[in-house]
């Protein structure tokens, strides 16, 4: 198992994994499969080079099996905040501690980022394993967004969580 920052040459693997996540767990993401399927992999490669974000991948035998993104706010009054987005681990690799390793790596990077004092994320209210994972790191619920997502006429609520350093 290798956890490392994603590089532009990982963009094709990342897109494949992202599309898998969007298809299998659409309720876990603000983006949709339909929006992302036509996006060129180079778009992701450019994101991997951005100064305000870090994108981590978990590799097993050279295969990308999990990802998480850490993105710092750019606005002057919000630079003390960063967000976790796009967390996904393949079904076959779940229950192996990969999610914990990815989030741990993102939080370690956030703590080392000068001026970052808090990390925010949103998690689907019914996703018990993800909620348990985030709670294990000390993320606290500070709100709930009712009907945050609507997929095929079905609403999904999200818990808003934060970790304060």
């Amino acid at each position: 198992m290798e956890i490392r920052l994603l590089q532009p040459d990982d963009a094709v693997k990342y897109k494949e994994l992202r599309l898998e996540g969007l298809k299998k767990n659409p309720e876990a993401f603000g983006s949709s499969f339909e929006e992302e399927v036509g996006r060129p992999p180079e778009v992701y490669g450019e994101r991997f080079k951005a100064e305000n974000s870090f994108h981590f991948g978990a590799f097993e035998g050279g295969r990308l099996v999990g990802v998480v993104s850490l993105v710092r706010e750019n606005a002057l009054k919000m630079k003390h905040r960063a967000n976790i987005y796009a967390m996904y681990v393949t079904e076959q690799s779940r229950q192996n501690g990969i999610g914990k390793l990815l989030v741990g790596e993102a939080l370690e990077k956030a703590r080392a980022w000068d001026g970052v004092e808090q990390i925010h994320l949103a998690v689907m209210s019914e996703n018990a394993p993800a909620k348990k994972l985030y709670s294990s790191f000390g993320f606290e619920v500070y709100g709930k967004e009712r009907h945050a997502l609507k997929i095929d006429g079905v609403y999904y609520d999200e818990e808003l969580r934060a970790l304060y350093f």
Side-chain angles (χ1 to χ4, degrees), residues 84-103:
I84 286 183
Y85 296 118
M87 174 74 180
Y88 181 72
V89 176
T90 63
E91 289 176 351
Q92 312 87 289
S93 297
R94 292 179 189 164
Q95 304 298 317
N96 294 331
I98 293 171
K100 192 168 192 110
L101 290 171
L102 285 166
V103 172

Side-chain angles (χ1 to χ4, degrees), residues 6-12 14-15 40-50 55:
L6 294 172
Q7 302 300 317
D9 60 351
D10 295 315
V12 171
Y14 179 85
K15 181 180 178 180
E42 296 77 24
V43 170
Y44 303 108
E46 287 301 312
R47 289 181 189 168
F48 300 159
K49 296 189 290 188
H55 307 270

Side-chain angles (χ1 to χ4, degrees), residues 9 24 30 33 36 42 49 80 83 89 98 121 128 140 146 159:
D9 60 351
K24 291 187 176 187
F33 179 87
E36 302 244 352
E42 296 77 24
K49 296 189 290 188
H80 64 291
N83 301 283
V89 176
I98 293 171
L121 59 82
E140 303 170 15
R146 254 184 97 234
E159 283 185 4

Side-chain angles (χ1 to χ4, degrees), residues 119-121 123 131 134-135 139-142 159-162:
I119 308 298
H120 291 252
L121 59 82
V123 60
K131 290 168 40 172
Y134 297 132
S135 292
F139 280 90
E140 303 170 15
V141 176
Y142 68 87
E159 283 185 4
L160 307 175
R161 291 179 171 236

Side-chain angles (χ1 to χ4, degrees), residues 1-2 6 23 35 42 50 58 86-87 97 102 105 112 127 134 142-143 145-146 151 153:
M1 168 64 54
E2 176 190 18
L6 294 172
K23 193 170 256 192
E35 290 170 310
E42 296 77 24
M87 174 74 180
L102 285 166
E105 198 72 27
N127 189 341
Y134 297 132
Y142 68 87
E145 185 175 353
R146 254 184 97 234
I151 305 167

Side-chain angles (χ1 to χ4, degrees), residues 23-153:
K23 193 170 256 192
K24 291 187 176 187
N25 298 105
E27 73 287 348
F29 303 95
S31 297
S32 69
F33 179 87
E34 295 78 13
E35 290 170 310
E36 302 244 352
V37 70
R39 187 166 288 155
E42 296 77 24
V43 170
Y44 303 108
E46 287 301 312
R47 289 181 189 168
F48 300 159
K49 296 189 290 188
E51 289 184 18
N52 73 321
S53 64
F54 294 97
H55 307 270
F56 297 94
F59 291 84
E60 285 183 333
R63 187 171 159 259
L64 184 61
V65 297
V67 292
V68 69
S69 294
L70 175 70
V71 181
R72 188 174 190 169
E73 295 286 351
N74 283 323
L76 186 61
K77 294 179 182 179
M78 295 180 71
K79 283 190 173 213
H80 64 291
R81 295 174 47 153
N83 301 283
I84 286 183
Y85 296 118
M87 174 74 180
Y88 181 72
V89 176
T90 63
E91 289 176 351
Q92 312 87 289
S93 297
R94 292 179 189 164
Q95 304 298 317
N96 294 331
I98 293 171
K100 192 168 192 110
L101 290 171
L102 285 166
V103 172
E105 198 72 27
L107 293 179
E108 186 177 317
K109 185 59 97 171
R111 283 186 172 94
W113 224 340
D114 187 38
V116 171
E117 300 170 5
Q118 51 189 270
I119 308 298
H120 291 252
L121 59 82
V123 60
M124 191 194 54
S125 296
E126 296 171 8
N127 189 341
K131 290 168 40 172
K132 182 179 176 184
L133 171 67
Y134 297 132
S135 292
S136 75
F137 282 100
F139 280 90
E140 303 170 15
V141 176
Y142 68 87
K144 181 175 183 176
E145 185 175 353
R146 254 184 97 234
H147 296 181
L149 301 176
K150 184 178 180 182
I151 305 167
D152 297 327

